[in-house]
Amino acid sequence: MKNAVNLLGAVMIVVSGFLLGLSGVRRLTKRERELLELQKLMQRLKTGIQFSARPLPELILENRDLSVCKNAAQEEGMENDPHGALEKVSASLFPEQKDFQLCRGFLTGLGTSDIEGQIEHITLYSALLEENLREARTEREQKGRLYLALGLFGGITICLILL
């Protein structure tokens, strides 16, 4: 009976370590996914501004399938201050400081110039976003395996120490 309890405890510790590593992988994957959504938003805004010249609140509501726009559309006063709603939402979606700064810079310049200026602004920030996205992919690929291995081996090490 005592051996079964010890074995169950050991399995729970190993699984806990693995789940801890998996949570690190999930955080890295979430960063990449949010940056990809920002890239989609930039492309859609570029198209929307270039071909229809609609106001920003309308474009946000049209793109509610993206998390940034979905959350911004739910913010109070979005129609009057779309920049404020987008910035408030981006702070929670981009915990990494450089991603947040990039998003904030992009949002600050939206709607401040003519159509050609907007297109140039979006093109510039799309290029800047590529670097962050490339870094997020590399980080997920390299650190993701590391987090899983460290979690699993950490759990095994704890089990060996306790046994």
Side-chain angles (χ1 to χ4, degrees):
M1 182 70 168
K2 185 177 178 183
N3 286 338
V5 171
N6 286 344
L7 182 62
L8 181 63
V11 168
M12 289 176 67
I13 290 172
V14 170
V15 168
S16 295
F18 180 74
L19 291 175
L20 190 61
L22 202 58
S23 72
V25 172
R26 199 173 109 230
R27 183 181 51 82
L28 294 173
T29 303
K30 182 182 182 292
R31 176 182 180 216
E32 182 183 10
R33 186 178 59 244
E34 295 299 343
L35 288 172
L36 282 170
E37 281 201 2
L38 182 60
Q39 186 180 46
K40 278 184 195 175
L41 176 63
M42 286 180 179
Q43 186 59 43
R44 289 180 184 180
L45 288 176
K46 184 176 180 180
T47 304
I49 291 169
Q50 192 170 16
F51 295 112
S52 65
R54 289 187 307 218
L56 186 57
E58 202 175 299
L59 291 170
I60 291 171
L61 292 173
E62 182 180 291
N63 290 294
R64 281 183 289 197
D65 61 318
L66 302 175
S67 58
V68 176
C69 293
K70 178 183 174 186
N71 294 343
Q74 295 172 351
E75 286 291 321
E76 192 172 314
M78 192 277 297
E79 291 82 18
N80 299 329
D81 185 20
H83 292 96
L86 285 169
E87 190 168 331
K88 191 183 295 184
V89 166
S90 66
S92 65
L93 289 176
F94 299 104
E96 186 113 358
Q97 188 63 25
K98 64 177 145 188
D99 296 339
F100 173 68
Q101 291 298 330
L102 179 91
C103 185
R104 192 166 121 202
F106 168 66
L107 296 173
T108 302
L110 277 180
T112 58
S113 63
D114 62 348
I115 292 174
E116 286 180 29
Q118 292 297 298
I119 301 304
E120 288 176 13
H121 175 76
I122 293 171
T123 303
L124 169 69
Y125 274 92
S126 292
L128 294 173
L129 177 65
E130 279 297 321
E131 179 60 34
N132 286 25
L133 192 53
R134 191 173 15 263
E135 177 188 305
R137 281 187 183 127
T138 304
E139 211 172 83
R140 179 190 47 82
E141 291 168 358
Q142 293 175 349
K143 290 184 179 179
R145 284 182 256 142
L146 177 69
Y147 286 167
L148 286 175
L150 284 176
L152 187 62
F153 293 133
I156 291 171
T157 302
I158 291 172
C159 285
L160 291 174
I161 289 172
L162 292 176
L163 295 177

